[in-house]
Structure formats: C-alpha cells, structure tokens
Amino acid sequence: MIESIIREIFDIEEILVPLEGFRKGSVLDALIERFDLIFRKEQNFLVDHSPVGYPAVEIEKIWASESERRSVIALVRINHAGEVSAQGLYLGQAMFSRNQNNFLFLLKAASEERLHLAWCTRRLKELKGTVSLFTPIWFLGSFVIGATVSLSGDPVSLGFVEETERQVAAHLDGHLARIPHDDKVTRSILQRMREEELVHGGKAESLGGATLPPFASKLMGIAALVMKETAQKF
Ligand SMILES: [Fe+2]
Ligand SMILES: [Fe+2]
C-alpha cells in the first residue's frame, strides 16, 4: 500500500490533470491549479453562511438549569467542530480525486457540510456558547488527512466518505439520546444533519466506495474521539 502511494505521488501530474479543463503543466502548476479550482469554487468556505433551512421553532426551550444549557452547548460545539472537519476532509479529498463526478460529489458534500456548520454556528449563538479554540486546526488537519487519503485512489477515498458518514450518523444518534426532548431546535438540527450524512454515505457507496479495512475504521474512530473530547472543552 505504501509503495503504491509513493508511486502515485510520482505520478501526481497524471492524477491531477484528468479533470475537465486541466492543462498539462508542471507538477507544481497542476497542484496550484487544482487547489485554486477547489477554493475558487468554494470561495465562500470561511464566510459565516446564512443558515438556510434553519428549523423554524417559535418557542425557545425554557432551560431547567444552567448545567442543562451548558451540556447542550458542549454537544453543539462538538458538532460544530465535526462539520468543520468534514469540510476539511472532503475538500482535501478533492485535491487528488481522479474522476470528475467524484470530484464534484466531494465539493457538493463539502458545501452541504457548510450548511450544517451554519446551523451549528447559529445554534451556538442562540445558546450563548462559543466555538472550539482549535477550529482552524480541525480544518487544516482534516484537509491534510483528506488529501492523503485521496492519494490512495477514488475507491478508497469514497470508502472513507462512507465510513466517515456511518460513524457520524452513529455519533449523532448518541447525541440525540442526550439532548433534552423539549430542545426542539437542537434536536431538529441534529436529525436533519443525520439524514443528510446518510445520503452522503449512500452516494459515496453508489459511486464505488471500497470497504475500508477494520483497522482504518478503528483509527478514524479514535481520531474522532480525540477531536470530540478536545472540542468539548477547548
Ligand atoms: Fe454534516
Ligand atoms: Fe456529510
């Protein structure tokens, strides 16, 4: 596997130019062109987006205690960090995506994660909570991981999306079990996100995602756990 990754790195130009409209230039040109394409298409990725489709719940929950409100803030913070990471992963994976359809799928999934992020940002504001101090690190670290994964080829990269979304949906189930039943806004956000994560995973599977080895899934679970524990507190 390592050998094939190294071979791919040497063939990086072959990886980068197959997308529509790409010129055959130097490796550096190709890298810059791909990076530029991703962030030009996704140029608003750092802008505080308007939370289109934010759940319209007229009556805000009356909090039973300060600790109840704080516990919900901690959960929303974790999901905010998760949505930042999901964007980093998918934009990173687009860096070395071989196929036009897969490339566009990754950008579309990233832009939908951005909408989820906008919902989490708005909810955190309503709850008077703050985002994780490590937000830029979650994005950059995830971008590097996504780009590295995509060097292994589209089937592995799509399998990674599938596994990520499976783990995110399971994680959201856990959070939904912990959010108070009368916190309709937060519940509605997490439910909508869960539905859309499952669609992302299903789409990655239909595009030919490979099944990842169990150790890879385990490693992803551990990385997610570190992020969740850190984002919850800092
Ligand atoms: Fe999401
Ligand atoms: Fe997703």
Side-chain angles (χ1 to χ4, degrees), residues 176-188:
L176 279 163
R178 291 165 63 191
I179 303 275
H181 279 279
D182 57 348
D183 183 359
K184 301 251 187 303
V185 180
T186 310
R187 295 189 69 78
S188 163

Side-chain angles (χ1 to χ4, degrees), residues 83 86 90 109 112-113 116 161 164-165 168 193 196-201:
E83 296 300 338
Y90 298 162
E112 287 166 4
E113 306 300 359
H116 297 172
V161 174
T164 302
E165 298 291 10
V168 172
M193 276 163 38
E196 294 185 14
E197 311 308 8
L198 289 173
V199 173
H200 293 158

Side-chain angles (χ1 to χ4, degrees), residues 216-229:
S217 311
K218 226 177 185 101
L219 212 62
M220 291 163 70
I222 293 168
L225 192 65
V226 170
M227 188 203 70
K228 285 186 241 177
E229 287 298 316

Side-chain angles (χ1 to χ4, degrees), residues 47-54 114-115 118-119 122:
V47 176
D48 193 5
H49 273 247
S50 65
V52 178
Y54 193 77
R114 193 157 46 255
L115 193 53
W119 297 341
R122 162 120 176 224

Side-chain angles (χ1 to χ4, degrees), residues 4 30 34 46 65 68 73-74 82 91 95 102 113 116 119 130 141 150 160 172 177 191 222-223:
S4 78
R34 179 71 75 101
L46 282 178
S65 64
E68 185 190 46
I73 288 175
L91 295 179
M95 259 319 273
N102 298 340
E113 306 300 359
H116 297 172
W119 297 341
T130 52
S150 71
F160 183 84
L172 287 170
Q191 268 152 0
I222 293 168

Side-chain angles (χ1 to χ4, degrees), residues 99-147:
N99 169 287
Q100 186 80 11
N101 282 341
N102 298 340
F103 176 76
L104 293 175
F105 160 66
L106 288 163
L107 291 195
K108 184 168 182 288
S111 77
E112 287 166 4
E113 306 300 359
R114 193 157 46 255
L115 193 53
H116 297 172
L117 179 65
W119 297 341
C120 291
T121 306
R122 162 120 176 224
R123 188 60 183 146
L124 268 179
K125 276 187 191 148
E126 288 171 352
L127 294 168
K128 300 187 173 50
T130 52
V131 304
S132 166
L133 288 173
F134 292 101
T135 299
I137 306 289
W138 304 137
F139 182 83
L140 289 173
S142 302
F143 186 88
V144 171
I145 292 171

Side-chain angles (χ1 to χ4, degrees), residues 2 5 14 26 30 37 49 92-93 102 114 154 167 177 206 230:
I2 290 173
I5 291 175
E14 296 303 314
S26 70
L37 178 67
H49 273 247
Q93 286 175 261
N102 298 340
R114 193 157 46 255
D154 283 6
Q167 291 190 11
S206 72
T230 314

